[in-house]
Amino acid sequence: MKKLLLLMMLLPAMVFPQEFKVEYLKGTAKAQIGSSEQWINVIEGQTFKPNTVIATEENSTIKLKKGDVEFTMYEVSAVNLSSLKKLSLDELLLALAMEEILSAPKKKEDVKSKSTVVYGTRETGKQDLFVRSNDFGIKRLNGAVRLTESGFKESAIITARETFRKYPHTKGLVPFRLYFANLLIEKNLYEEALEEYYSIQKLSLNQQQKEELEDKLEFVNRKVVK
């Protein structure tokens, strides 16, 4: 009888997954729900299911909460709420393998950035990777960086890979490429990191980036041959 009562208590949560609530909103944020191509304005107190993409405009901040999960996103960023979860290393490897299949080259891609971007500091004053641009691909990368900062590193890596595939011009943004390649090292995925560094090596790099890349290649190669 007790087991039946417990199941009845848990059933609503199983059938109706918790939604994300907008705890705080400054400025403008928009939401794209499910397969809809329409964007709607977000208001404070609103709730969204995980199959929702939230995007912020300039000088905007949004704080979302679902159970024990809290996530704050700053300006010109975009995140799929389904990414706000912890993933195992096996789940990350599976997702990377799937992305590799989907990214199989079909034609020569233009990896030059088609947007005018400005690398800068967020309104919080925190020095980190951030690009001020309304390009949606770049917004997704800004969101992926925020996922990393919030502890969702596996989801951030997957989001970045998916963005590089869906928005080929973002592949030419070297700081982002290096940032997410470095995350692979943190996860001890040295072969995956090595492959990514060799890909980055083909891009147009400044002297500082070349030196960083050389250091990373030397480090990862030592790990791979062990």
Side-chain angles (χ1 to χ4, degrees), residues 20 22 29-43 46-57 62 64 73 77-82 136 139-140 162 166-167:
F20 288 90
V22 180
K30 295 182 180 294
Q32 188 180 63
I33 302 171
S35 59
S36 172
E37 295 184 0
Q38 181 181 3
W39 289 91
I40 62 172
N41 288 322
V42 175
I43 59 174
Q46 198 169 4
T47 59
F48 294 100
K49 293 180 180 179
N51 66 335
T52 302
V53 176
I54 300 291
T56 53
E57 302 298 323
I62 186 170
L64 299 135
M73 185 166 65
S77 301
V79 164
N80 192 319
L81 298 185
S82 63
F136 191 68
K139 279 189 171 185
R140 281 177 57 104
E162 183 182 71
K166 291 185 174 180
Y167 304 88

Side-chain angles (χ1 to χ4, degrees), residues 73-111:
M73 185 166 65
Y74 303 107
E75 61 176 330
V76 288
S77 301
V79 164
N80 192 319
L81 298 185
S82 63
S83 298
L84 298 177
K85 61 183 178 182
K86 301 285 186 178
L87 298 176
S88 68
L89 186 59
D90 286 341
E91 289 173 319
L92 172 58
L93 286 169
L94 181 61
L96 288 175
M98 182 59 69
E99 277 299 319
E100 187 174 351
I101 293 172
L102 294 173
S103 300
K106 297 177 182 178
K107 60 180 181 179
K108 188 174 181 180
E109 295 176 335
D110 179 11
V111 297

Side-chain angles (χ1 to χ4, degrees), residues 6-23:
L6 180 60
L7 180 60
M8 292 176 66
M9 292 172 64
L10 291 174
L11 189 59
M14 294 166 61
V15 177
F16 303 105
Q18 276 188 305
E19 297 184 336
F20 288 90
K21 182 179 180 181
V22 180
E23 296 277 301

Side-chain angles (χ1 to χ4, degrees), residues 166-177:
K166 291 185 174 180
Y167 304 88
H169 65 280
T170 63
K171 285 185 176 183
L173 299 175
V174 177
F176 280 116
R177 294 290 299 276

Side-chain angles (χ1 to χ4, degrees), residues 132-149:
R132 187 180 300 280
S133 172
N134 284 319
D135 179 282
F136 191 68
I138 296 176
K139 279 189 171 185
R140 281 177 57 104
L141 292 176
N142 283 335
V145 171
R146 185 59 192 141
L147 285 172
T148 304
E149 297 170 345

Side-chain angles (χ1 to χ4, degrees), residues 56-68:
T56 53
E57 302 298 323
E58 289 191 16
N59 303 313
S60 300
T61 302
I62 186 170
K63 180 180 178 180
L64 299 135
K65 184 174 182 180
K66 184 186 79 166
D68 296 332

